[in-house]
């Protein structure tokens, strides 16, 4: 028993009664009130519920049906929620008809530089400013980010441009400070299976962009989304950012087939990061066009005014004029698949 479908117009009192019953069995619930149907997602080890117990719940007032989900993830599954999720980030919707573009430097490096990039990407049509203040670097001797000061610069750039902000959280100890500043919390590829971190962001009311792990399968990735959702936060988007393969011509292999695969499995919005996916600026534009054609709901792209001088990921960062050119090229592609950008 994973999903309880409630009859239309069932009074709240009856729903509360069903929830109490679940609690008495050590289970929790996620109530999703749609326009036509209310659905209760049962959270916990539902395999221990016997058939008799399931029948008893089926017989309760207000219950239309009790279903089992065959997938190991539930709240994230398309079986649980059949319509695509739209995540409203302070008025900007991810997962709707309009494809959103997040752009900015890999790392927040300094105040003036960030504001300059923000103004340029905004002018080109981006709706979010990206930039890491806490950086997950392969070497402990590489630039690690500006920390809270970097977050303050992001907010300043937001106030100047109206762009929303996305930035990475690496450690639960930084959650409170990140919550004060950001509009979307990014969970990086190296933390996709940091389950404590996932549970922490599951407990807050803030959209989360969950990057695919370096070598994670789509199923493992969806299970990580489930970790977040199981704690109550349903505002999760999945970001394909390339996976490890034997190929060395590109930094990673951008798995574009993940987009249509995810669309068959989950209602969560799909974001594509071509920058980390290929690791070379000259391949970012074709892969962005391909991602839009394949059904991505948003793109996240690294942009830097002077990539040779960037403190991280310069080799994959677009100069602002090339980014602006790409934004123009994306329009007819989006149109061809019935979307706008
Ligand atoms: C980033 O967005 O700069 C980043 C570190 O991404 P990833 O976690 O995908 O490597
Ligand atoms: Mn980067």
């Amino acid at each position: 028993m994973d999903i309880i479908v409630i009859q239309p117009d069932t009074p709240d009192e009856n729903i509360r009664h069903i929830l109490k019953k679940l609690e008495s069995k050590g289970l929790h619930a996620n109530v999703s009130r749609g326009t036509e149907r209310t659905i209760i997602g049962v959270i916990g080890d539902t395999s221990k519920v016997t058939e008799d117990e399931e029948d008893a719940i089926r017989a309760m007032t207000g219950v239309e049906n009790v279903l089992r989900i065959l997938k190991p993830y539930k709240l994230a599954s398309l079986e649980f929620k059949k319509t695509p999720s739209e995540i409203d980030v302070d008025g900007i919707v991810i997962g709707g008809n309009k494809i959103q573009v997040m752009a900015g430097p890999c790392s927040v490096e300094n105040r003036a530089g960030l504001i300059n990039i923000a103004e340029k990407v905004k002018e080109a049509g981006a709706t979010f400013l990206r930039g890491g203040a806490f950086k997950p670097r392969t070497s402990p001797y590489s630039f690690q980010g500006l920390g809270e000061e970097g977050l303050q610069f992001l907010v300043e750039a937001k106030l100047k441009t109206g762009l929303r902000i996305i930035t990475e959280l690496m450690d639960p100890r930084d959650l409170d400070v990140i919550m004060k500043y950001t509009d979307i919390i990014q969970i990086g590829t190296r933390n996709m299976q940091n389950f404590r971190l996932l549970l922490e962001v599951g407990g807050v009311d803030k959209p989360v962009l969950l990057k695919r792990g370096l070598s994670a399968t789509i199923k493992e990735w969806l299970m990580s989304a489930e970790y977040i959702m199981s704690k109550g936060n349903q505002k999760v988007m999945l970001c394909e950012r390339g996976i490890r393969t034997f190929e060395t011509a590109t930094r990673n292999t951008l798995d574009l087939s993940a987009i249509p695969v995810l669309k068959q499995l989950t209602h969560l919005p799909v974001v594509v990061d071509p920058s980390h996916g290929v690791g070379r600026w000259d391949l970012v534009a074709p892969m962005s066009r391909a991602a839009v054609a394949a059904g991505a709901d948003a793109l996240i792209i690294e942009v830097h005014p002077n990539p040779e001088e960037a403190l991280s990921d310069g080799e994959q960062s677009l100069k602002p004029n090339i980014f602006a050119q790409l934004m123009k090229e994306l329009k007819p592609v989006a149109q061809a698949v019935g979307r706008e950008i």
Side-chain angles (χ1 to χ4, degrees), residues 60-72:
M60 289 178 80
T61 312
V63 174
E64 183 172 294
N65 204 356
V66 174
L67 305 168
R68 277 191 184 270
I69 291 184
L70 299 174
K71 302 264 176 353

Side-chain angles (χ1 to χ4, degrees), residues 67-87:
L67 305 168
R68 277 191 184 270
I69 291 184
L70 299 174
K71 302 264 176 353
Y73 44 88
K74 300 176 203 173
L75 300 173
S77 77
L78 206 56
E79 287 166 87
F80 175 63
K81 184 171 178 290
K82 294 199 163 46
T83 51
S85 282
E86 296 188 0
I87 300 179

